[in-house]
Amino acid sequence: MRIADARVIVTCPGRNFVTLKLVTDDGVTGVGDATLNGRELAVAAYLTDHVVPALIGRDPARIEDTWQYLYRGAYWRRGPVTMTAVAAVDTALWDIKGKVAGLPVYQLLGGRSREGVTVYGHASAADTDGVLAEVARFTGQGYRAVRVQTGVPGLPTTYGVGKPGIVYEPADAAIPSEAVWDTERYLDHVPRVFARVRAEFGPHLKLLHDVHHRLTPIEAARLGKSLEPHALTWLEDPVPAELQEGYRLIRRHTTTPLAVGEVFNTIWDCELLIREQLIDYVRATVVHAGGITHLRRIFDLAALHHVRTGSHGATDLSPVCLSAALHLDLAVPNFGLQEYMPHSEATDAVFPHGYRFADGYLHPAETPGLGVDIDEELAARYPYQAASLPVNRLPDGTLHSW
């Protein structure tokens, strides 16, 4: 069996996705997500110009060798564009292997370690009363864990707070829009929000919050300490992770668990954080961390150091990525939580899939492979639309982490 065709498909059913579809010489197909929010065409070009020509004629069964070929064989390694392209190939090859074996991918990864994958929903609103209603809506649907984000008084917009009734998508303009950020207002507001949420919903609901890399280590330590009475399951991305030693300072000051990693691309981005047990959850994901093969390596390293998984799963990852994540979530021993933001109806139609939500859990498809595909004819009806993520500035105009 050999790879006979490889197609890079760009579609925008409400937001942009890039998908790699591999076809073997005997007609078996595999799909991999290659979406990098705001930089989709960079990955599409990397695949089309540099990767696809090297795939034709290769043995699709040699997943590890192909991964090493694309990683070690490229002098310019790592980085989000390269690793997203590698992930697309790797994921598609696992899909093919499952179909050839007649098994869902999780069975090839060692079988079930649990009956279902616990997911968390996104409760957001402009103010505290609104977010309380949103948390109630999610718990009413059976969610056992909820991420809580609200607007900050005095700021016109805040990350993570979408418009009511619309699937949240932060990429909002061809040229990045600009928002204003004020750390002191934020640090004053967030503990008050969680005090009300915990009082309303009791001690057992898992609560999470995303800082989105916006604080310094000592500011993050202050926030973590102020949130300790409300027993968060995790505080996500409190500071930019380029300076990983900063997490040592946060650890010295708070016991609030930390979750980091949705922007990580390789095991080297999180090796120190994991080895020194500076984080509690690693949030790297299939599409941005080199596929199932490499993410499993990250998760195995994490398991040795009492760090659990918490993979990114926002709607900028296609159903192909979410399906792949679920198969890995089901198999690894150190699973923690899986982010889950349901896609739009248009996206679900372009990517028919078999995974399902029930009683707070997601369940991957039991069909061979990943259990997801792309309707190429329907995808062609949604052409690419330029969209960029916003940027942040402080009140005095200084550029700040978005």
Side-chain angles (χ1 to χ4, degrees):
M1 181 186 294
R2 298 288 167 179
I3 298 172
D5 189 23
R7 299 193 287 274
V8 179
I9 304 159
V10 180
T11 184
C12 186
R15 61 114 30 244
N16 293 312
F17 297 105
V18 181
T19 306
L20 176 68
K21 188 164 191 175
L22 302 182
V23 184
T24 69
D25 52 11
D26 56 359
V28 181
T29 64
V31 290
D33 189 9
T35 305
L36 184 62
N37 199 355
R39 295 293 184 268
E40 296 90 354
L41 296 186
V43 185
Y46 190 101
L47 285 167
T48 300
D49 297 338
H50 305 291
V51 175
V52 164
L55 293 177
I56 304 304
R58 292 187 65 87
D59 181 354
R62 297 181 63 173
I63 297 177
E64 180 65 38
D65 181 68
T66 299
W67 195 95
Q68 297 294 340
Y69 178 83
L70 295 174
Y71 181 79
R72 291 192 181 187
Y75 184 76
W76 307 107
R77 301 179 186 175
R78 304 169 65 182
V81 173
T82 295
M83 296 307 290
T84 300
V86 172
V89 177
D90 184 81
T91 305
L93 293 180
W94 277 104
D95 192 20
I96 289 172
K97 186 173 283 288
K99 290 173 181 176
V100 171
L103 293 170
V105 166
Y106 77 80
Q107 293 287 14
L108 305 179
L109 299 172
R112 289 178 179 269
S113 288
R114 56 200 48 82
E115 294 306 311
V117 173
T118 306
V119 296
Y120 67 91
H122 285 214
S124 72
D127 55 32
T128 306
D129 288 339
V131 87
L132 289 171
E134 281 294 288
V135 174
R137 181 172 69 86
F138 278 101
T139 57
Q141 294 173 1
Y143 283 80
R144 301 159 186 264
V146 180
R147 192 185 84 164
V148 177
Q149 309 288 140
T150 73
V152 175
L155 298 184
T157 62
T158 307
Y159 163 78
V161 179
K163 297 178 181 178
I166 299 175
V167 175
Y168 177 65
E169 172 51 59
D172 60 358
I175 303 299
S177 61
E178 297 195 4
V180 177
W181 176 251
D182 189 312
T183 297
E184 287 303 319
R185 289 178 183 271
Y186 169 78
L187 291 175
D188 176 69
H189 178 63
V190 170
R192 302 173 192 269
V193 173
F194 277 92
R196 289 193 59 187
V197 173
R198 188 56 84 190
E200 180 79 17
F201 293 95
H204 302 302
L205 179 65
K206 296 180 186 296
L207 297 178
L208 307 90
H209 180 68
D210 184 5
V211 183
H212 220 245
H213 314 101
R214 294 183 171 190
L215 302 179
T216 66
I218 200 66
E219 290 167 347
R222 171 183 161 189
L223 178 62
K225 193 170 186 65
S226 68
L227 290 172
E228 284 177 11
H230 314 307
L232 269 64
T233 294
W234 78 43
L235 184 66
E236 180 182 333
D237 288 336
V239 303
E242 288 93 338
L243 181 64
Q244 298 189 355
E245 290 83 352
Y247 282 83
R248 294 177 185 149
L249 189 152
I250 303 172
R251 268 294 202 234
R252 286 198 293 267
H253 291 281
T254 181
T255 59
T256 295
L258 303 175
V260 182
E262 71 181 53
V263 299
F264 289 170
N265 307 132
T266 73
I267 198 167
W268 307 110
D269 295 323
C270 50
E271 182 268 340
L272 183 145
L273 293 174
I274 291 172
R275 179 167 47 81
E276 295 194 11
Q277 300 179 57
L278 300 177
I279 60 174
D280 302 278
Y281 296 86
V282 59
R283 300 199 63 250
T285 192
V286 169
V287 66
H288 297 147
I292 293 171
T293 296
H294 192 61
L295 188 58
R296 180 64 186 262
R297 290 195 182 98
I298 294 173
F299 288 173
D300 285 346
L301 176 66
L304 296 177
H305 295 87
H306 310 289
V307 174
R308 288 180 282 183
T309 75
S311 287
H312 181 53
T315 49
D316 61 338
L317 313 180
S318 84
V320 175
C321 179
L322 181 58
S323 182
L326 294 177
H327 285 272
L328 192 52
D329 292 337
L330 203 64
V332 297
N334 57 323
F335 171 75
L337 286 174
Q338 171 66 53
E339 182 177 16
Y340 174 50
M341 294 179 70
H343 290 96
S344 67
E345 291 184 6
T347 297
D348 286 339
V350 169
F351 296 95
H353 54 265
Y355 59 77
R356 59 186 178 84
F357 174 82
D359 194 28
Y361 302 104
L362 273 177
H363 303 271
E366 293 294 330
T367 53
L370 293 175
V372 63
D373 203 349
I374 181 169
D375 183 330
E376 295 183 66
E377 182 178 339
L378 184 57
R381 301 178 191 174
Y382 299 102
Y384 170 82
Q385 298 182 29
S388 298
L389 295 171
V391 298
N392 250 355
R393 293 187 184 273
L394 300 179
D396 69 357
T398 303
L399 197 70
H400 191 71
S401 295
W402 175 70

